[in-house]
Amino acid sequence: MGEEAACNMTEMPLKVPHFVLVHGIGGGSWCWYKIRCLMENSGYKVSCIDLKGSGIDRSDAKTILTFDEYNKPFTEFMSSLPNDEKVILVGHSAGGLSLTDATHKFGKKIHLAIYLGATMLKTGFCTEQDVKDDSTLAAMLLRPGPIKALVSARFEEGMTDCDEVPRVYIRTTQDRAVKPEQQEEMIKRWPPAEVYVLESDHSPFFSAPFLLFGLLVKAAASVGIY
């Protein structure tokens, strides 16, 4: 067999699934350290985002007044991805707002959006009920968070069809921050493709990392990423 023919028969390497993890209010990229280790040791690519005023970003939360400003690090990350790269987004708690914003703006770069005990509102905080569904988060902050910026989140429909991005919701059944009934209400209002149940508190990346890791891999496989 000639050298050229042999080259043509060489298989192209498969792209490694790329998970992008977005923390909730008052947290940071450090929250994901157990999940990141499990994923990277299993061969996945992982990126963890620090939103403004979170993690290693020492901005004063009181000075962050708009959602766009708070979410800017994640928006810049998504903008920097090559147009031919698709990622799997995972958002915890209020990090779900960042995922929804991305489905409106960067839908063609997203394989799947996974909401982990997260705020899942198609158009953001547009009604008093929307704010009520997320208000208990303020009592769970690990450090001061930009509440005003979060409740200002509004997402305009029509830029792209955000419903074209597959979504999975992971319910956290022992959650006292985003309570199970609040999760159910958001699921009813904007039904995802799949709903998984995780017997855990609000922070399964600490309390149930192995179970969470298994569900994240299962969710990715459910949309044919492998």
Side-chain angles (χ1 to χ4, degrees), residues 35 198-201 203-213:
I35 294 297
L198 183 57
E199 299 289 338
S200 80
D201 57 17
S203 303
F205 37 72
F206 295 142
S207 61
F210 291 98
L211 292 175
L212 175 57
F213 170 66

Side-chain angles (χ1 to χ4, degrees), residues 7-21:
C7 289
N8 290 336
M9 292 182 66
T10 301
E11 292 186 1
M12 294 294 291
L14 295 175
K15 285 189 176 181
V16 175
H18 183 181
F19 286 83
V20 180
L21 313 181

Side-chain angles (χ1 to χ4, degrees), residues 41-53:
N41 287 340
S42 298
Y44 300 105
K45 182 178 180 181
V46 182
S47 297
C48 299
I49 307 299
D50 276 323
L51 301 177
K52 191 165 184 181

Side-chain angles (χ1 to χ4, degrees), residues 37-67:
C37 288
L38 287 170
M39 286 188 160
E40 290 182 339
N41 287 340
S42 298
Y44 300 105
K45 182 178 180 181
V46 182
S47 297
C48 299
I49 307 299
D50 276 323
L51 301 177
K52 191 165 184 181
S54 307
I56 62 173
D57 187 314
R58 306 313 298 177
S59 301
D60 184 350
K62 294 179 181 178
T63 68
I64 306 169
L65 302 179
T66 68
F67 178 75

Side-chain angles (χ1 to χ4, degrees), residues 94-136:
L97 292 167
S98 297
L99 266 61
T100 301
D101 186 51
T103 64
H104 283 282
K105 296 177 179 177
F106 305 103
K108 293 182 179 180
K109 293 184 176 183
I110 304 170
H111 270 306
L112 176 67
I114 303 173
Y115 292 76
L116 173 61
T119 304
M120 186 174 67
L121 301 170
K122 186 175 183 179
T123 56
F125 290 109
C126 295
T127 68
E128 290 184 6
Q129 184 62 39
D130 294 335
V131 176
K132 181 179 178 182
D133 286 341
D134 205 49
S135 61
T136 52

